[in-house]
Amino acid sequence: DAKTTQPPSMDCAEGRAANLPCNHSTISGNEYVYWYRQIHSQGPQYIIHGLKNNETNEMASLIITEDRKSSTLILPHATLRDTAVYYCIVRSVDTGGFKTIFGAGTRLFVKA
Amino acid sequence: DAGVIQSPRHEVTEMGQEVTLRCKPISGHNSLFWYRQTMMRGLELLIYFNNNVPIDDSGMPEDRFSAKMPNASFSTLKIQPSEPRDSAVYFCASSLYGTGVGEQYFGPGTRLTVT
């Protein structure tokens, strides 16, 4: 599976949009981009995933560049409860099983 | 839906003792994953199962670690004998393999302390 690069930490003001970048320059054509987050002392939580089109759900939006070498997770109106570590992961879904490799992630601090 | 259930939530044991961590995946999910998380190494995949069969155990640190999934609703991760460096939070996750999405749902974790 391709590796990802994320900034170690970011700040965001409460109520503003949080834009979390991720580089995955070696992504393959059959690999999806997944985002998870981990709030302190809890298990990671799935947020969103995409292949090449932009995606939106009730939690966030995912913007994937046309060349698919990078993506941005957008939390449109960040709240204090969004303070967490956010993981960007790329993996194929057509290999045997769903082996998921977590990197160091981005620690997002939402400030009042 | 109860989500992924793990027990115990906390375990404190002495070096050399056997430790067994338990996991009940979400009903209907056919993939199960065991992870370990430490400050130094982050979140590491230890082993995962599809339809109760171990698929990849390359992340299991050494022979002291073993995992079983006797049926679709139960899995164990055993450490024998335990060592202080095994202290970590152990997460179990389950997923529905075959849908093409396969997001994983994590349990609350078991915090293991080996003294």
Side-chain angles (χ1 to χ4, degrees):
Chain A
D1 290 338
K3 293 183 178 180
T4 62
T5 303
Q6 299 177 253
S9 66
M10 294 182 62
D11 290 344
C12 178
E14 188 179 21
R16 305 296 294 269
N19 298 288
L20 292 91
C22 179
N23 286 323
H24 31 78
S25 58
T26 60
I27 192 170
S28 300
N30 63 348
E31 288 182 319
Y32 284 69
V33 180
Y34 283 75
W35 284 83
Y36 286 77
R37 74 179 182 183
Q38 186 174 22
I39 296 171
H40 180 62
S41 78
Q42 298 181 18
Q45 175 190 26
Y46 165 81
I47 301 172
I48 198 168
H49 76 283
L51 183 62
K52 54 185 177 180
N53 297 321
N54 297 337
E55 303 288 344
T56 296
N57 63 21
E58 65 279 4
M59 291 182 66
S61 295
L62 175 60
I63 308 298
I64 303 174
T65 58
E66 191 170 345
D67 62 8
R68 303 207 323 122
K69 293 184 177 182
S70 66
S71 61
T72 301
L73 178 74
I74 301 172
L75 307 179
H77 305 287
T79 70
L80 299 179
R81 289 175 296 180
D82 292 322
T83 292
V85 177
Y86 287 77
Y87 299 98
C88 170
I89 298 155
V90 294
R91 67 164 173 83
S92 170
V93 299
D94 59 4
T95 54
F98 294 149
K99 186 171 183 175
T100 300
I101 308 299
F102 286 80
T106 295
R107 187 172 296 274
L108 175 68
F109 295 94
V110 180
K111 301 181 176 180
Chain B
D1 193 340
V4 175
I5 299 172
Q6 291 186 246
S7 64
R9 293 294 308 277
H10 302 273
E11 177 78 36
V12 180
T13 190
E14 293 183 348
M15 182 175 62
Q17 296 298 307
E18 178 181 294
V19 175
T20 300
L21 310 181
R22 298 173 175 79
C23 176
K24 176 179 171 57
I26 292 173
S27 178
H29 281 190
N30 53 8
S31 291
L32 184 138
F33 306 77
W34 282 102
Y35 292 86
R36 176 174 69 175
Q37 187 170 36
T38 62
M39 289 293 294
M40 291 295 295
R41 301 176 65 90
L43 196 59
E44 302 174 277
L45 177 64
L46 300 177
I47 185 171
Y48 70 94
F49 297 82
N50 276 352
N51 295 317
N52 312 336
V53 176
I55 301 300
D56 187 338
D57 65 355
S58 59
M60 296 286 263
E62 49 197 276
D63 292 345
R64 297 185 298 106
F65 285 69
S66 63
K68 294 182 179 180
M69 192 165 186
N71 57 61
S73 59
F74 184 67
S75 176
T76 60
L77 177 67
K78 185 176 294 186
I79 307 173
Q80 166 63 20
S82 58
E83 297 182 3
R85 59 189 169 130
D86 301 330
S87 297
V89 180
Y90 291 80
F91 290 104
C92 175
S94 69
S95 175
L96 186 57
Y97 174 61
T99 65
V101 175
E103 67 268 32
Q104 296 179 21
Y105 294 83
F106 284 75
T110 295
R111 182 173 296 276
L112 174 65
T113 302
V114 183
T115 61

